[in-house]
Amino acid sequence: MPRTRRPRPLAVLAAAVVLVLAGAPAAGATSGGDGVATTAAAQAVAPPPVGARFDYQLGGAYAPAAGVGVVVRDRTAPPAPGRYSVCYVNAFQTQPQEAGWWTARYPSLVLRDGRGRPVEDAGWPGELLLDTRTAATRGALATLVGRWLDGCADKGYRAVELDNLDSWLRSGDRLTTAGNLAYAQLLVRRAHSRGLAVAQKNAAGLTRSQVRTAGFDFAVAEECEAYDECGAYTWVHGRHVLEVEYADGGREAFRAACAARGHVVPVLLRDRDVLPRGQRGHVSEQCP
């Protein structure tokens, strides 16, 4: 399940967003069998550079420290100049302040219980699960969220992090692993068509075959030391893993992670609220 306090977008999405695919492909583009335009940009898809130090700036953007080569920021923020930037997108659940927007405009895309009530993530009030059960809802969701991915590419991001892949675990058995992975595959195709690499976020138990079929290029592993999941990520992604541990549970997990994998993958210690530098409580440390 999600373990960090995810950022809240700075503005409500424009009301002009509609459930239609983008217009004709750009010049030089072709269309694949799934209707997603593919361009030369897809050839440039590349995961973050192996071993590069990174910073996780979901709580607010700030100037990265010297030596940081990869920066993860919310999709509402600009990418970090001169760094490989990863765009955070909550792709499988709503952000709290957008819940009303989803239920008013796209009620059929929000997962419902037996009484017709939206299914909410018990750990994150206001985050409603999106309905990935049918090809129709997956396609509609991929169109909407795909526009966010396009926005990441237009801003200059190099990759996207799709949060809450494992929402089926919080759905009361309404969602399935297969449904979420089928939806993820649509998003990956859209991202790749815009030259964006895609991170697997959550769902450490996926097999190598499932990850490859979905098309993920690397992983963002949150508290994998604390939850004994790191081996699952490195087994599938090798050195293409960004590991984040949190300071509020003590630094033991961070020290253990550095000793076990600090020479193989970058490991970052952050405060739970991922606060910007200068705010009280901000923590951002790399392995020695």
Side-chain angles (χ1 to χ4, degrees):
M1 64 183 297
R3 293 163 189 146
T4 186
R5 182 168 299 164
R6 292 179 296 278
R8 308 312 178 195
L10 303 179
V12 177
L13 295 174
V17 175
V18 291
L19 281 174
V20 294
L21 288 171
T30 59
S31 181
D34 58 0
V36 176
T38 58
T39 70
Q43 304 302 316
V45 171
V50 168
R53 291 191 169 198
F54 77 105
D55 202 357
Y56 210 48
Q57 299 187 1
L58 302 189
Y62 54 91
V68 169
V70 178
V71 177
V72 184
R73 288 180 175 174
D74 181 62
R75 66 181 179 85
T76 61
R83 268 78 170 187
Y84 183 109
S85 295
V86 181
C87 188
Y88 169 94
V89 176
N90 194 355
F92 291 79
Q93 298 183 182
T94 73
Q95 298 287 58
Q97 73 274 31
E98 293 175 348
W101 180 86
W102 279 96
T103 55
R105 292 185 174 273
Y106 305 108
S108 65
L109 301 184
V110 176
L111 186 66
R112 307 279 172 162
D113 65 16
R115 298 173 62 181
R117 300 171 300 187
V119 177
E120 185 177 46
D121 184 332
W124 299 96
E127 294 208 9
L128 310 181
L129 277 61
L130 300 179
D131 191 347
T132 64
R133 291 177 295 180
T134 69
T137 58
R138 291 192 294 267
L141 287 169
T143 298
L144 278 171
V145 177
R147 292 181 180 274
W148 299 347
L149 306 185
D150 290 345
C152 294
D154 291 341
K155 287 181 177 181
Y157 280 96
R158 297 287 308 281
V160 291
E161 171 193 338
L162 305 178
D163 201 11
N164 287 308
L165 170 64
D166 62 349
S167 63
W168 73 81
L169 296 175
R170 299 177 291 284
S171 70
D173 294 326
R174 297 176 181 89
L175 301 179
T176 65
T177 305
N180 275 24
L181 287 177
Y183 170 47
Q185 188 175 47
L186 296 177
L187 295 180
V188 170
R189 289 176 181 171
R190 181 69 167 257
H192 283 175
S193 77
R194 295 302 310 274
L196 297 167
V198 184
Q200 175 192 349
K201 174 73 173 294
N202 310 125
L206 294 179
T207 67
R208 186 176 295 171
S209 176
Q210 287 173 316
V211 170
R212 288 176 175 173
T213 298
F216 294 115
D217 304 291
F218 66 107
V220 174
E222 209 176 29
E223 290 189 292
C224 69
E225 178 67 33
Y227 287 87
D228 194 24
E229 297 172 340
C230 301
Y233 288 110
T234 56
W235 178 71
V236 173
H237 295 281
R239 297 189 67 189
H240 291 292
V241 176
L242 304 178
E243 180 178 343
V244 186
E245 301 292 337
Y246 292 105
D248 59 354
R251 295 172 181 264
E252 292 79 6
F254 176 62
R255 288 193 289 266
C258 287
R261 290 172 305 285
H263 62 293
V264 176
V265 301
V267 181
L268 174 69
L269 182 69
R270 285 294 270 125
D271 56 282
R272 179 73 57 175
D273 292 335
V274 285
L275 297 168
R277 182 186 296 117
Q279 290 194 16
R280 185 176 182 181
H282 168 88
V283 175
S284 183
E285 297 180 18
Q286 310 280 344
C287 291

